[in-house]
Amino acid sequence: MTMMKSLCGLAQRGGVKLAAGQASGTRPTSVRFFSAGSSERVWKVYLSGEIHSDWRNVIAEGVKDHNLPVQLSSPNTSHEDSDDCGAYILGMEQERHNWDKLGSSMNAIRTKTLIQDADVVVVRFGEKYRQWNAAFDAGFATALGKPLITLHPPAISHMLKEVN
């Protein structure tokens, strides 16, 4: 089985698991990095999209379990850290509305860099929230000519027909 088929299979399993929802109220952790110990190519895969389930960890565990030559990266999946990073790094702003602008600017630098560096981009769309960032990431990856794998519940297939 090729690495790409393995990754697609893991992504589909991750997507199926998430379609049923996450029973526990736990917050997903950040994606860990794994790579095989051989000299074969290590694929850089960026995992974009919804942050309210453990789909990234499902893929990371599958990559590790199957010893795939894959290095995973993702956006900051903590709302609080993501929103506040600019204010903390650049200095506390007096007005909260500036925090979002600072945080989004800092996050955009990181996200664009990781997508540009990726060999493959996986984007997960969930049902509950409008993931504008996921749609932007999918468009940016497509504009760069990156292979794109989209994951989403069947109920929103029609809305994403141009992305798939």
Side-chain angles (χ1 to χ4, degrees):
M1 182 180 299
T2 69
M3 191 289 304
M4 288 304 295
K5 285 183 182 177
S6 296
L7 181 60
C8 289
L10 291 171
Q12 289 171 346
R13 284 195 290 283
V16 170
K17 179 177 182 180
L18 297 175
Q22 184 176 1
S24 70
T26 60
R27 200 177 194 137
T29 59
S30 62
V31 175
R32 298 160 299 205
F33 291 86
F34 298 105
S35 63
S38 72
S39 62
E40 70 181 302
R41 176 183 176 154
V42 175
W43 292 79
K44 294 179 182 178
V45 178
Y46 184 77
L47 303 176
S48 174
E50 68 96 4
I51 64 168
H52 301 284
S53 63
D54 69 344
W55 73 275
R56 287 178 180 85
N57 288 332
V58 170
I59 291 176
E61 289 169 13
V63 166
K64 182 179 179 183
D65 291 346
H66 295 283
N67 197 31
L68 296 175
V70 172
Q71 181 183 51
L72 301 173
S73 62
S74 71
N76 184 341
T77 59
S78 164
H79 274 294
E80 184 177 293
D81 292 346
S82 177
D83 290 347
D84 298 345
C85 71
Y88 287 126
I89 293 169
L90 299 176
M92 298 297 283
E93 294 288 320
Q94 296 301 316
E95 296 182 37
R96 176 70 181 152
H97 72 273
N98 290 335
W99 286 29
D100 286 341
K101 175 63 177 149
L102 291 172
S104 65
S105 295
M106 299 291 282
N107 288 323
I109 294 167
R110 181 178 188 277
T111 298
K112 287 177 183 177
T113 300
L114 290 171
I115 290 174
Q116 288 171 333
D117 196 38
D119 297 308
V120 178
V121 175
V122 178
V123 181
R124 164 75 180 162
F125 293 92
E127 289 182 276
K128 188 172 181 181
Y129 300 100
R130 302 286 184 243
Q131 288 108 30
W132 308 118
N133 59 322
F136 179 83
D137 290 354
F140 184 57
T142 300
L144 293 173
K146 302 289 180 175
L148 183 67
I149 299 171
T150 58
L151 307 172
H152 55 78
I156 61 174
S157 290
H158 181 72
M159 293 176 269
L160 296 171
K161 67 183 178 209
E162 303 299 327
V163 178
N164 286 328

Short mmCIF file of all heavy atoms in Angstrom, two decimals, residues 29-60:
data_model
loop_
_atom_site.label_atom_id
_atom_site.label_comp_id
_atom_site.label_asym_id
_atom_site.label_seq_id
_atom_site.Cartn_x
_atom_site.Cartn_y
_atom_site.Cartn_z
N THR A 29 -5.89 18.01 21.54
CA THR A 29 -4.53 18.50 21.77
C THR A 29 -3.90 18.80 20.43
O THR A 29 -4.43 18.46 19.39
CB THR A 29 -3.69 17.44 22.51
OG1 THR A 29 -3.67 16.25 21.71
CG2 THR A 29 -4.27 17.13 23.87
N SER A 30 -2.77 19.43 20.45
CA SER A 30 -2.11 19.74 19.19
C SER A 30 -1.57 18.46 18.57
O SER A 30 -1.33 17.47 19.25
CB SER A 30 -0.97 20.73 19.42
OG SER A 30 -0.01 20.16 20.27
N VAL A 31 -1.39 18.50 17.27
CA VAL A 31 -0.91 17.33 16.54
C VAL A 31 0.57 17.13 16.83
O VAL A 31 1.34 18.07 16.85
CB VAL A 31 -1.14 17.52 15.03
CG1 VAL A 31 -0.53 16.38 14.25
CG2 VAL A 31 -2.61 17.62 14.74
N ARG A 32 0.93 15.90 17.07
CA ARG A 32 2.33 15.57 17.29
C ARG A 32 2.98 15.24 15.95
O ARG A 32 2.30 14.95 14.99
CB ARG A 32 2.42 14.35 18.21
CG ARG A 32 1.83 14.64 19.58
CD ARG A 32 1.49 13.35 20.24
NE ARG A 32 0.50 12.67 19.41
CZ ARG A 32 -0.36 11.80 19.87
NH1 ARG A 32 -0.34 11.45 21.11
NH2 ARG A 32 -1.23 11.23 19.08
N PHE A 33 4.29 15.26 15.92
CA PHE A 33 5.03 14.96 14.70
C PHE A 33 5.58 13.55 14.77
O PHE A 33 6.16 13.15 15.76
CB PHE A 33 6.19 15.95 14.52
CG PHE A 33 5.72 17.32 14.21
CD1 PHE A 33 5.39 18.19 15.23
CD2 PHE A 33 5.58 17.74 12.91
CE1 PHE A 33 4.95 19.47 14.95
CE2 PHE A 33 5.15 19.02 12.61
CZ PHE A 33 4.83 19.88 13.65
N PHE A 34 5.36 12.79 13.70
CA PHE A 34 5.88 11.43 13.60
C PHE A 34 6.55 11.29 12.26
O PHE A 34 6.15 11.90 11.28
CB PHE A 34 4.75 10.39 13.67
CG PHE A 34 4.00 10.41 14.95
CD1 PHE A 34 2.73 10.96 15.02
CD2 PHE A 34 4.55 9.89 16.10
CE1 PHE A 34 2.03 10.97 16.20
CE2 PHE A 34 3.86 9.91 17.30
CZ PHE A 34 2.60 10.45 17.34
N SER A 35 7.55 10.46 12.21
CA SER A 35 8.13 10.12 10.92
C SER A 35 8.78 8.74 11.04
O SER A 35 9.17 8.32 12.12
CB SER A 35 9.15 11.16 10.45
OG SER A 35 10.23 11.21 11.35
N ALA A 36 8.83 8.08 9.92
CA ALA A 36 9.45 6.76 9.90
C ALA A 36 10.96 6.90 10.04
O ALA A 36 11.54 7.91 9.70
CB ALA A 36 9.11 6.05 8.58
N GLY A 37 11.62 5.86 10.52
CA GLY A 37 13.05 5.91 10.75
C GLY A 37 13.88 5.54 9.53
O GLY A 37 15.09 5.50 9.60
N SER A 38 13.27 5.26 8.40
CA SER A 38 14.02 4.84 7.22
C SER A 38 14.47 6.06 6.41
O SER A 38 14.18 7.20 6.75
CB SER A 38 13.15 3.93 6.35
OG SER A 38 12.14 4.69 5.73
N SER A 39 15.14 5.80 5.32
CA SER A 39 15.64 6.88 4.47
C SER A 39 14.63 7.28 3.39
O SER A 39 14.95 8.11 2.55
CB SER A 39 16.96 6.47 3.83
OG SER A 39 16.75 5.34 3.00
N GLU A 40 13.42 6.69 3.39
CA GLU A 40 12.46 7.07 2.38
C GLU A 40 11.94 8.49 2.63
O GLU A 40 12.11 9.04 3.70
CB GLU A 40 11.29 6.07 2.33
CG GLU A 40 10.37 6.10 3.53
CD GLU A 40 9.27 5.07 3.41
OE1 GLU A 40 8.50 5.11 2.45
OE2 GLU A 40 9.18 4.22 4.31
N ARG A 41 11.33 9.05 1.61
CA ARG A 41 10.82 10.42 1.69
C ARG A 41 9.85 10.56 2.87
O ARG A 41 9.00 9.72 3.09
CB ARG A 41 10.10 10.76 0.40
CG ARG A 41 9.47 12.13 0.44
CD ARG A 41 8.70 12.43 -0.80
NE ARG A 41 8.07 13.72 -0.63
CZ ARG A 41 7.74 14.49 -1.63
NH1 ARG A 41 7.97 14.10 -2.86
NH2 ARG A 41 7.16 15.65 -1.42
N VAL A 42 9.96 11.65 3.59
CA VAL A 42 9.02 11.98 4.65
C VAL A 42 8.07 13.03 4.09
O VAL A 42 8.49 14.12 3.69
CB VAL A 42 9.74 12.51 5.91
CG1 VAL A 42 8.72 12.95 6.95
CG2 VAL A 42 10.66 11.44 6.48
N TRP A 43 6.79 12.70 4.03
CA TRP A 43 5.77 13.58 3.49
C TRP A 43 5.33 14.57 4.56
O TRP A 43 5.03 14.18 5.68
CB TRP A 43 4.57 12.77 3.02
CG TRP A 43 4.87 11.92 1.83
CD1 TRP A 43 5.52 10.73 1.81
CD2 TRP A 43 4.55 12.21 0.48
NE1 TRP A 43 5.62 10.25 0.54
CE2 TRP A 43 5.02 11.14 -0.30
CE3 TRP A 43 3.88 13.26 -0.14
CZ2 TRP A 43 4.86 11.10 -1.67
CZ3 TRP A 43 3.71 13.22 -1.51
CH2 TRP A 43 4.21 12.15 -2.26
N LYS A 44 5.26 15.83 4.20
CA LYS A 44 4.77 16.87 5.10
C LYS A 44 3.30 17.09 4.81
O LYS A 44 2.92 17.47 3.70
CB LYS A 44 5.55 18.16 4.90
CG LYS A 44 7.01 18.04 5.27
CD LYS A 44 7.74 19.34 5.02
CE LYS A 44 9.21 19.21 5.35
NZ LYS A 44 9.93 20.46 5.05
N VAL A 45 2.47 16.83 5.83
CA VAL A 45 1.02 16.92 5.67
C VAL A 45 0.47 17.94 6.65
O VAL A 45 0.69 17.83 7.86
CB VAL A 45 0.35 15.54 5.90
CG1 VAL A 45 -1.16 15.64 5.78
CG2 VAL A 45 0.92 14.51 4.92
N TYR A 46 -0.23 18.94 6.13
CA TYR A 46 -0.84 19.98 6.95
C TYR A 46 -2.30 19.61 7.17
O TYR A 46 -3.04 19.36 6.22
CB TYR A 46 -0.72 21.34 6.26
CG TYR A 46 -1.25 22.47 7.10
CD1 TYR A 46 -0.51 22.98 8.16
CD2 TYR A 46 -2.49 23.03 6.84
CE1 TYR A 46 -0.99 24.01 8.95
CE2 TYR A 46 -2.98 24.07 7.61
CZ TYR A 46 -2.22 24.55 8.67
OH TYR A 46 -2.71 25.57 9.44
N LEU A 47 -2.73 19.60 8.42
CA LEU A 47 -4.11 19.24 8.80
C LEU A 47 -4.87 20.50 9.19
O LEU A 47 -4.67 21.06 10.27
CB LEU A 47 -4.10 18.25 9.96
CG LEU A 47 -3.31 16.96 9.74
CD1 LEU A 47 -3.31 16.10 11.00
CD2 LEU A 47 -3.87 16.18 8.55
N SER A 48 -5.75 20.94 8.31
CA SER A 48 -6.50 22.18 8.52
C SER A 48 -7.96 21.86 8.84
O SER A 48 -8.45 20.78 8.53
CB SER A 48 -6.44 23.03 7.24
OG SER A 48 -7.27 24.16 7.35
N GLY A 49 -8.64 22.82 9.43
CA GLY A 49 -10.08 22.68 9.59
C GLY A 49 -10.54 22.65 11.02
O GLY A 49 -9.84 23.11 11.92
N GLU A 50 -11.72 22.11 11.20
CA GLU A 50 -12.41 22.22 12.49
C GLU A 50 -11.56 21.72 13.65
O GLU A 50 -10.76 20.82 13.50
CB GLU A 50 -13.78 21.52 12.43
CG GLU A 50 -13.75 20.04 12.30
CD GLU A 50 -13.87 19.33 13.65
OE1 GLU A 50 -14.07 19.98 14.70
OE2 GLU A 50 -13.75 18.12 13.65
N ILE A 51 -11.76 22.39 14.80
CA ILE A 51 -10.90 22.12 15.96
C ILE A 51 -11.69 21.58 17.16
O ILE A 51 -11.17 21.53 18.26
CB ILE A 51 -10.12 23.38 16.39
CG1 ILE A 51 -11.06 24.49 16.86
CG2 ILE A 51 -9.23 23.86 15.27
CD1 ILE A 51 -10.36 25.63 17.55
N HIS A 52 -12.93 21.19 16.95
CA HIS A 52 -13.77 20.78 18.07
C HIS A 52 -13.89 19.27 18.23
O HIS A 52 -14.76 18.80 18.94
CB HIS A 52 -15.16 21.42 17.93
CG HIS A 52 -15.08 22.91 17.88
ND1 HIS A 52 -14.87 23.67 19.00
CD2 HIS A 52 -15.14 23.77 16.83
CE1 HIS A 52 -14.82 24.94 18.66
NE2 HIS A 52 -14.97 25.03 17.36
N SER A 53 -13.02 18.53 17.60
CA SER A 53 -13.00 17.08 17.74
C SER A 53 -11.56 16.60 17.67
O SER A 53 -10.64 17.39 17.46
CB SER A 53 -13.86 16.42 16.66
OG SER A 53 -13.32 16.70 15.39
N ASP A 54 -11.37 15.31 17.81
CA ASP A 54 -10.02 14.75 17.87
C ASP A 54 -9.54 14.16 16.54
O ASP A 54 -8.65 13.34 16.52
CB ASP A 54 -9.94 13.69 18.97
CG ASP A 54 -10.74 12.45 18.64
OD1 ASP A 54 -11.60 12.50 17.73
OD2 ASP A 54 -10.51 11.42 19.29
N TRP A 55 -10.07 14.61 15.43
CA TRP A 55 -9.73 14.00 14.14
C TRP A 55 -8.24 14.06 13.84
O TRP A 55 -7.70 13.13 13.25
CB TRP A 55 -10.56 14.62 13.00
CG TRP A 55 -10.16 16.00 12.60
CD1 TRP A 55 -10.57 17.18 13.17
CD2 TRP A 55 -9.29 16.37 11.53
NE1 TRP A 55 -10.00 18.26 12.53
CE2 TRP A 55 -9.21 17.79 11.51
CE3 TRP A 55 -8.55 15.66 10.59
CZ2 TRP A 55 -8.45 18.48 10.58
CZ3 TRP A 55 -7.79 16.35 9.67
CH2 TRP A 55 -7.74 17.74 9.67
N ARG A 56 -7.57 15.11 14.26
CA ARG A 56 -6.12 15.20 14.03
C ARG A 56 -5.38 14.10 14.79
O ARG A 56 -4.44 13.50 14.29
CB ARG A 56 -5.59 16.57 14.43
CG ARG A 56 -5.97 17.68 13.47
CD ARG A 56 -5.44 19.03 13.97
NE ARG A 56 -5.81 20.09 13.06
CZ ARG A 56 -6.97 20.73 13.08
NH1 ARG A 56 -7.87 20.43 14.00
NH2 ARG A 56 -7.23 21.68 12.20
N ASN A 57 -5.80 13.87 16.02
CA ASN A 57 -5.16 12.82 16.82
C ASN A 57 -5.43 11.44 16.25
O ASN A 57 -4.57 10.56 16.32
CB ASN A 57 -5.62 12.91 18.28
CG ASN A 57 -5.03 14.11 18.98
OD1 ASN A 57 -3.95 14.59 18.62
ND2 ASN A 57 -5.73 14.62 19.96
N VAL A 58 -6.62 11.23 15.67
CA VAL A 58 -6.93 9.95 15.02
C VAL A 58 -5.94 9.70 13.88
O VAL A 58 -5.38 8.61 13.75
CB VAL A 58 -8.38 9.92 14.51
CG1 VAL A 58 -8.64 8.69 13.64
CG2 VAL A 58 -9.36 9.97 15.67
N ILE A 59 -5.71 10.73 13.07
CA ILE A 59 -4.76 10.59 11.96
C ILE A 59 -3.34 10.40 12.49
O ILE A 59 -2.59 9.55 12.01
CB ILE A 59 -4.86 11.79 11.00
CG1 ILE A 59 -6.21 11.72 10.27
CG2 ILE A 59 -3.69 11.80 10.01
CD1 ILE A 59 -6.49 12.88 9.35
N ALA A 60 -2.96 11.20 13.50
CA ALA A 60 -1.60 11.08 14.06
C ALA A 60 -1.36 9.68 14.63
O ALA A 60 -0.28 9.10 14.42
CB ALA A 60 -1.39 12.14 15.14
#
